[in-house]
Amino acid sequence: MIQFPDLYCPCEPHLSPHFETIEKSTMEWAQQFNLLTSAAALERFKKGKFALLTARAFPVDNLEALLPIADLNTWLFLFDDQCDETLEGKTAAHLHATTCLLMDAMINGVSLGADSTPRPRTR
């Protein structure tokens, strides 16, 4: 068995008092945008405890500020999982098309619904 040395941390770990609210809200947000499409995906999501990272990294009392941070953090983890765990996510064409679609949404305010299909751009 590997013995790890004790680590010194000069600051107290804090957790946002809104952790449970963030967790519930982010799960609802992910379901609203069809990011959790199966019972297995929902279980993986719960085990991921994405809201815990936000609540620890931003241990503030401002719920309104924390919710969009938690949603973005969750989306980034789910997108990363899709890229790592699906065949589509491992193809350069799919990643390029998805990235272009997301950039359009962020820059131009294009609405992305559950039926959005990434398509390669033509030059």
Side-chain angles (χ1 to χ4, degrees):
M1 175 183 245
I2 298 174
Q3 181 73 27
F4 291 102
D6 291 335
L7 298 176
Y8 170 72
C9 182
C11 56
E12 284 289 317
H14 295 284
L15 184 67
S16 170
H18 299 293
F19 165 66
E20 291 177 358
T21 303
I22 296 167
E23 188 172 49
K24 182 177 185 274
S25 175
T26 300
M27 187 180 324
E28 290 170 357
W29 175 84
Q31 289 174 314
Q32 174 187 349
F33 286 96
N34 296 319
L35 300 176
L36 306 173
T37 57
S38 68
L42 181 59
E43 283 307 308
R44 277 195 314 275
F45 180 85
K46 288 178 182 178
K47 287 180 183 176
K49 298 188 182 284
F50 303 122
L52 185 59
L53 176 60
T54 301
R56 282 244 187 260
F58 303 95
V60 297
D61 194 22
N62 186 344
L63 180 61
E64 293 298 315
L66 291 173
L67 291 176
I69 294 169
D71 292 345
L72 176 61
N73 185 52
T74 297
W75 183 87
L76 290 169
F77 275 105
L78 294 174
F79 182 68
D80 180 68
D81 287 349
Q82 180 186 12
C83 293
D84 292 342
E85 298 170 6
T86 67
L87 291 176
E88 290 175 333
K90 294 180 183 188
T91 66
H94 178 78
L95 291 175
H96 180 262
T98 301
T99 303
C100 288
L101 183 70
L102 295 171
M103 292 304 294
D104 279 344
M106 289 187 282
I107 293 169
N108 301 316
V110 176
S111 176
L112 295 176
D115 60 346
S116 296
T117 304
R119 292 179 187 84
R121 281 188 177 222
T122 56
R123 295 181 189 246

